Amino acid sequence: MTLHTIMPLELVLQGYGEEGEPMLDVTAKGIRMLVIPVAPGCGKIVRLLDCSLYDYLDPTLAPGSLITFGFE
């Protein structure tokens, strides 16, 4: 892949090798998803892992939405 830009390389690659926030693989509302923990039992959705196609149309399951979950 070739990237043509006028930005300095240090700025383009800033944060490339760093680890992101810790994510949890949880099941909520019968859907398996990756979340970033915000508080105990609450998290911000990063991505849906195992769901039906119609679940992607649900605005409450959009990435960035907050969801409550419990460990079963």
Side-chain angles (χ1 to χ4, degrees):
M1 180 174 92
T2 304
L3 176 66
H4 297 281
T5 181
I6 60 171
M7 296 173 59
L9 184 61
E10 296 80 25
L11 188 59
V12 173
L13 298 177
Q14 183 178 14
Y16 176 70
E18 298 174 7
E19 279 195 40
E21 298 180 53
M23 292 186 242
L24 298 175
D25 184 347
V26 299
T27 301
K29 298 183 180 181
I31 300 168
R32 193 170 145 238
M33 59 185 79
L34 276 178
V35 299
I36 296 173
V38 176
C42 181
K44 183 169 57 169
I45 298 175
V46 176
R47 66 191 286 196
L48 303 179
L49 297 175
D50 187 19
C51 64
S52 75
L53 294 177
Y54 294 107
D55 292 328
Y56 288 103
L57 299 174
D58 187 353
T60 62
L61 297 174
S65 299
L66 293 177
I67 193 156
T68 57
F69 57 87
F71 295 102
E72 299 163 1

